[in-house]
């Protein structure tokens, strides 16, 4: 792209800078020029980092190839994970792209001419932030509409590859107390059920179901395994109750169920029945939310999960952390762009573009690691996820603003 200004052009007329500052049309041209440079640089940086991550992921998957996990499945897995890689590298790409875009203008002395013409640093920073808003919107769209589906498809391929594993930490686990009716019409405790559901969708279909019944002393009595189930409706329990979980019982028809009876002598007998029912105190939409990982849910689904957990009188810190990270991700991108501008106008302005790029990459990695660290601290201590997520963003924006202010 041709340079918009040169030093000799600025020196040919003594009134050049004063005239430039007074012309709105000229400022419009300058604005478009800076925005275009920043936009192209950010696009190139994001795509470059995204492509590198895809290549590294492909190389890592080569070690997992075998007869059941072929090259085609590995490529499909990487393809389904690529939106997640793109969303992860948008903040660092925006930081790097802003440094490159403004750095190229600085190397050709175009920023010097703009400053001499009366264009403030904050106005130039505002011009750079505007194309960054495009990537803010892109990150939100990916989180909301793409990641829930692409991550699920990638997980299905991963499940097929790991089908031989005995245990899994995915899905929904719960302990349900059981009661039996006595002859007087009262109820007495009858042990408890440990229930596991590995998958559910919004239409009411569920995947593998496992249920272990323990007696009042904690001894295992029966174990049930079902290959899947289908939602068949709900039964009213106490519609007048203020708690949604006490108003209805939701029923699922289980298919291909295997039941294992544990006798007192530690002998077992196995019986196979075509179907049985599963009763839960919440609707299929809630089961779907409970069986998905936090990173696989959209922003609105995370909000619904948060509201559901509040109704149940409990909370999931991992889902709350993911909710605030996705909701505040636009602020992360904008704060990193401010830091990128400070690298060009601040103390690094006299250094080469290569050094500024290296510093930007290191700062982007540091910011990413800091976000992960405060997330782990929140999960370990129970401290507010909102506060822990917003602290690195405030620190980054404050650092960028401070470095910019020093050069005013």
């Amino acid at each position: 792209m041709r340079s918009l200004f040169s030093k000799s052009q600025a020196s040919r007329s003594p009134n050049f800078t004063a005239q430039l500052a007074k012309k709105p049309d000229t400022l419009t041209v300058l604005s478009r020029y800076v925005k275009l440079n920043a936009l192209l640089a950010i696009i190139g940086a994001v795509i470059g980092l995204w492509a590198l991550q895809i290549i590294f992921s492909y190389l890592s998957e080569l070690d997992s190839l075998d007869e059941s996990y072929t090259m085609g499945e590995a490529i499909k897995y990487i393809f389904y994970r690529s939106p997640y890689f793109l969303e992860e590298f948008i903040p660092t790409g925006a930081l790097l792209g802003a440094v490159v875009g403004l750095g190229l203008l600085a190397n050709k002395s175009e920023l010097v001419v703009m400053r001499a013409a009366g264009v403030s640093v904050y106005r130039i920073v505002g011009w750079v932030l505007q194309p960054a808003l495009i990537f803010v919107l892109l990150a939100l769209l990916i989180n909301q509409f793409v990641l829930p589906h692409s991550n699920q498809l990638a997980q299905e391929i991963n499940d097929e590859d790991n089908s031989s594993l005995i245990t899994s930490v995915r899905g929904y686990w719960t302990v349900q107390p059981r009661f039996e009716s006595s002859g007087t019409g009262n109820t007495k405790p009858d042990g408890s059920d440990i229930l596991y559901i590995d998958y559910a969708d919004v239409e009411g279909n569920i995947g593998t179901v496992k249920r272990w019944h323990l007696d009042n002393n904690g001894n295992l009595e029966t174990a049930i395994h079902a290959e899947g189930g289908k939602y068949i409706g709900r039964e009213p329990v106490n519609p007048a109750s203020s708690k949604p979980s006490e108003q209805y019982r939701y029923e699922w028809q289980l298919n291909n169920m295997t039941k294992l009876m544990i006798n007192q002598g530690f002998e077992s007998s196995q019986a196979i029945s075509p179907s049985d029912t599963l009763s839960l105190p919440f609707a299929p939409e809630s089961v779907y939310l409970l069986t998905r990982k936090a990173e696989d849910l959209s922003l609105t689904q995370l909000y619904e999960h948060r509201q559901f957990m509040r109704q149940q009188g409990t909370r999931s810190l991992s889902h709350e952390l993911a909710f605030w990270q996705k909701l505040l991700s636009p602020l992360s991108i904008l704060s990193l762009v401010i830091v990128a501008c400070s690298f060009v106008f601040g103390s690094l302005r006299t250094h080469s573009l290569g050094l500024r790029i290296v510093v930007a990459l290191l700062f982007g990695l540091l910011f990413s690691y800091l976000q992960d660290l405060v997330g782990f601290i929140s999960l370990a201590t129970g401290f507010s996820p909102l506060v822990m997520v917003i602290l690195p963003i405030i620190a980054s924006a404050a650092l960028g603003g401070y470095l910019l202010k020093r050069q005013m």
Side-chain angles (χ1 to χ4, degrees), residues 230-265:
K230 185 177 181 180
Y231 178 65
I232 56 177
R234 65 182 185 181
E235 294 291 335
V237 178
N238 185 14
S241 175
S242 59
K243 295 183 178 180
S245 60
E246 298 178 355
Q247 295 175 357
Y248 299 94
R249 300 293 295 182
Y250 300 86
E251 304 288 336
W252 278 261
Q253 188 77 32
L254 300 181
N255 301 320
N256 299 326
M257 191 189 75
T258 303
K259 186 174 183 179
L260 185 67
M261 305 293 296
I262 309 298
N263 297 326
Q264 293 183 355

Side-chain angles (χ1 to χ4, degrees), residues 1-5 28-46 93-111 114 124-125 127-132 134-135 337 340-341 344 353:
M1 182 178 296
R2 291 186 58 188
S3 174
L4 186 63
F5 296 113
T28 302
V29 173
L30 287 177
S31 171
R32 292 176 180 174
Y33 182 68
V34 173
K35 292 175 187 177
L36 181 60
N37 275 272
L39 177 62
L40 294 178
I42 294 175
I43 290 176
V46 171
L95 168 67
L96 182 60
V99 169
V100 172
L102 287 179
L104 292 175
L105 296 180
N107 286 348
K108 293 181 287 188
S109 301
E110 294 175 335
L111 292 181
M114 292 182 196
I124 298 175
V125 172
W127 291 341
V128 178
L129 287 175
Q130 292 180 37
I134 298 176
F135 292 88
V337 172
C341 295
V344 178
L353 177 60

Side-chain angles (χ1 to χ4, degrees), residues 11-25:
S11 61
R12 278 198 285 264
S13 173
N15 299 323
F16 174 79
T17 59
Q19 294 174 0
L20 181 61
K22 294 179 180 180
K23 290 184 177 180
D25 293 341

Side-chain angles (χ1 to χ4, degrees), residues 211-230:
R211 183 166 56 187
W212 297 267
H213 176 54
L214 308 178
D215 61 17
N216 292 325
N217 296 322
N219 299 316
L220 179 63
E221 291 187 339
T222 61
I224 296 175
H225 176 277
E227 295 182 1
K230 185 177 181 180

Side-chain angles (χ1 to χ4, degrees), residues 196-222:
Y196 166 71
I197 303 174
D198 75 333
Y199 167 79
D201 59 27
V202 293
E203 297 178 355
N205 300 311
I206 57 177
T208 301
V209 177
K210 299 178 182 179
R211 183 166 56 187
W212 297 267
H213 176 54
L214 308 178
D215 61 17
N216 292 325
N217 296 322
N219 299 316
L220 179 63
E221 291 187 339
T222 61

Side-chain angles (χ1 to χ4, degrees), residues 340-383:
C341 295
S342 70
F343 289 164
V344 178
F345 292 106
S347 58
L348 294 176
R349 68 188 187 281
T350 58
H351 294 81
S352 65
L353 177 60
L355 178 61
R356 288 195 287 259
I357 292 175
V358 171
V359 173
L361 282 174
L362 292 177
F363 186 86
L365 291 174
L366 176 63
F367 182 82
S368 177
Y369 294 149
L370 184 59
Q371 281 189 316
D372 294 339
L373 176 62
V374 297
F376 292 140
I377 293 175
S378 176
L379 295 177
T381 63
F383 195 72

Side-chain angles (χ1 to χ4, degrees), residues 380-400:
T381 63
F383 195 72
S384 171
L386 169 60
V387 175
M388 300 305 289
V389 169
I390 205 171
L391 278 178
I393 299 174
I394 295 177
S396 174
L399 175 63

Side-chain angles (χ1 to χ4, degrees), residues 328-349:
L328 299 178
S329 61
L331 298 181
S332 302
I333 298 173
L334 297 179
S335 69
L336 289 177
V337 172
I338 294 175
V339 172
C341 295
S342 70
F343 289 164
V344 178
F345 292 106
S347 58
L348 294 176
R349 68 188 187 281

